[in-house]
Amino acid sequence: MRQTLSDLALLLARVVVGVTFIAHGYQKLAINGMDATASGFASMGIPLPTAAAWFAALVELLGGIALVLGVLLPVAGVLLAAVMLGALLFAHLGTTYFVTDGGFEYVLLLAAVSLALGFGGRRYSVDAALRRRQPQQDLAGV
């Protein structure tokens, strides 16, 4: 019972964090638009701002979907953490800690949680379902 509750809590965390990333990716792609997102990245001094804007938007959108579904979790976790560390480096470093003051607490938290969710708690995921469906190989004949 305890393991089931832990797995359900991790599923809930994956869904909440995943939806948050989906919203931010969608915001960059469809609400603000990629020209505005790239312009904002350029104003922060991010190298190759158009490519970086597309990378961030797609990683947030697709990585968020991957977290929700539980697909390629380690890859999604690492990529999402990398995007958040980029945000920390280019937009928040040198500011205060608290997000209310433009600080880095939110992006640092999302980076750490992305890694944790990417490498833990996969019981209720597409990855786990696919693993269960694969036939076990008989290693005796190898």
Side-chain angles (χ1 to χ4, degrees), residues 6-30:
S6 176
D7 290 333
L8 287 171
L10 289 167
L11 172 62
L12 176 63
R14 278 197 354 251
V15 169
V16 170
V17 173
V19 167
T20 300
F21 275 115
I22 292 167
H24 281 273
Y26 180 78
Q27 179 185 39
K28 286 174 179 63
L29 288 164

Side-chain angles (χ1 to χ4, degrees), residues 5-111:
L5 290 175
S6 176
D7 290 333
L8 287 171
L10 289 167
L11 172 62
L12 176 63
R14 278 197 354 251
V15 169
V16 170
V17 173
V19 167
T20 300
F21 275 115
I22 292 167
H24 281 273
Y26 180 78
Q27 179 185 39
K28 286 174 179 63
L29 288 164
I31 296 172
N32 297 343
M34 291 312 295
D35 289 339
T37 301
S39 177
F41 278 30
S43 72
M44 289 183 266
I46 296 174
L48 303 168
T50 299
W54 277 100
F55 180 76
L58 291 174
V59 166
E60 288 175 354
L61 181 69
L62 299 175
I65 292 169
L67 281 182
V68 170
L69 297 176
V71 177
L72 299 172
L73 285 171
V75 173
V78 167
L79 289 174
L80 289 167
V83 167
M84 290 299 97
L85 291 176
L88 185 143
L89 194 67
F90 287 100
H92 299 281
L93 202 61
T95 63
T96 68
Y97 177 79
F98 297 104
V99 70
T100 53
D101 298 322
F104 58 87
E105 79 176 303
Y106 182 63
V107 295
L108 185 62
L109 178 68
L110 284 176

